[in-house]
Amino acid sequence: MKNKIFNTIFTLLFLTANAGLCEQTRTAVIQTPLIKFALAMGGVILSSIVIFAGLKIYKKMFVDKKNHDIIKDEILKTPKTTEEAIKFFINKNKLN
């Protein structure tokens, strides 16, 4: 256990010593994470655009467009009879 801790501290000292002494190493260390982060964010943006376009195409081609006879004002009105309530429920939940 002591040997692992000693090796870890020893390795960290030598790895960080080069970054403190070299001007070139310091700038390379800073730019590499920024470039990796920018590439990762670019991948996220690209994949979200691809998913969005795919879902739009899927919706246009495969989702059935049914004309429902519910007007937006009728959604807020309470049905007065049982038959109206059943028709409203069926139309609203697209069960027909």
Side-chain angles (χ1 to χ4, degrees):
M1 183 71 170
K2 292 179 183 179
N3 201 12
K4 288 183 181 180
I5 295 171
F6 179 75
N7 284 340
T8 305
I9 294 171
F10 191 71
T11 305
L12 286 175
L13 284 174
F14 280 108
L15 289 177
T16 56
N18 288 337
L21 297 175
C22 300
E23 184 68 29
Q24 185 179 17
T25 306
R26 190 175 297 164
T27 58
V29 171
I30 292 172
Q31 287 179 354
T32 305
L34 293 177
I35 291 171
K36 286 182 181 179
F37 180 76
L39 289 174
M41 288 300 109
V44 168
I45 291 170
L46 180 67
S47 63
S48 62
I49 290 171
V50 168
I51 290 171
F52 178 76
L55 289 174
K56 280 289 202 186
I57 292 169
Y58 175 80
K59 184 177 178 182
K60 284 185 179 181
M61 296 180 87
F62 297 111
V63 175
D64 294 332
K65 295 179 182 176
K66 295 181 182 178
N67 292 331
H68 299 288
D69 53 348
I70 297 177
I71 303 172
K72 291 182 181 180
D73 294 335
E74 289 182 12
I75 291 176
L76 298 175
K77 293 181 182 177
T78 304
K80 294 182 175 126
T81 64
T82 306
E83 290 181 19
E84 287 180 11
I86 293 171
K87 287 180 185 177
F88 178 76
F89 178 78
I90 290 172
N91 288 333
K92 184 172 179 176
N93 294 312
K94 302 176 186 173
L95 297 176
N96 57 352

